[in-house]
Amino acid sequence: MPNSKLFKGSLSTIILKLLDKEGKMYGYEITQKVKQLTHGKLKITEGALYPALHKLEAEGLLEVEVAKVQNRLRKYYKLTELGEKETVNRLAELEDFIRSMQQLVNPNWNIL
């Protein structure tokens, strides 16, 4: 499933979930974690990641922390309090969507 439209529509929720689990992460770290968790099936490009991060920040769901690492500045993203609440909402919405899609893709024809 290489970078499908389905994945792109879920990108912000994926980012929020990772930050909820990990606390704070920088961009490249997010891309590598998704690659690792999906065994290389999903890869986030920088062209998709950074606009999503900036949008989440503009919505007040993320805040940026800058740290100097090996003489380079690195931006870490972490959830705001609003971001923590929104993560719960978006995950519930995504799980409900997945359940509905499973019912459509694999319906129980015996109850129809």
Side-chain angles (χ1 to χ4, degrees):
M1 186 170 90
N3 296 326
S4 74
K5 291 178 184 176
L6 295 172
F7 170 66
K8 290 176 185 171
S10 305
L11 181 56
S12 63
T13 305
I14 291 166
I15 292 168
L16 292 173
K17 173 62 178 174
L18 285 174
L19 293 174
D20 183 56
K21 175 74 175 137
E22 300 291 328
K24 65 179 181 179
M25 300 175 83
Y26 57 96
Y28 180 74
E29 186 177 20
I30 293 170
T31 64
Q32 294 308 296
K33 191 68 169 181
V34 168
K35 189 175 172 183
Q36 173 197 357
L37 289 171
T38 64
H39 305 285
K41 289 184 181 181
L42 298 178
K43 297 174 186 159
I44 302 176
T45 64
E46 286 184 18
L49 176 65
Y50 289 102
L53 287 169
H54 295 149
K55 185 173 187 272
L56 290 168
E57 183 183 3
E59 292 172 356
L61 304 179
L62 299 184
E63 60 187 21
V64 177
E65 196 177 278
V66 179
K68 196 170 189 175
V69 179
Q70 298 175 346
N71 284 337
R72 295 179 60 199
L73 294 179
R74 181 177 286 168
K75 279 187 177 181
Y76 286 92
Y77 298 89
K78 64 181 184 175
L79 296 177
T80 61
E81 189 174 321
L82 178 61
E84 291 173 6
K85 292 174 185 171
E86 185 63 19
T87 299
V88 172
N89 294 336
R90 289 193 188 187
L91 287 171
E93 188 177 292
L94 181 59
E95 288 170 356
D96 187 48
F97 175 74
I98 290 168
R99 274 192 299 279
S100 296
M101 291 304 297
Q102 286 173 332
Q103 290 170 346
L104 286 170
V105 172
N106 296 310
N108 183 349
W109 295 103
N110 295 327
I111 62 169
L112 296 177

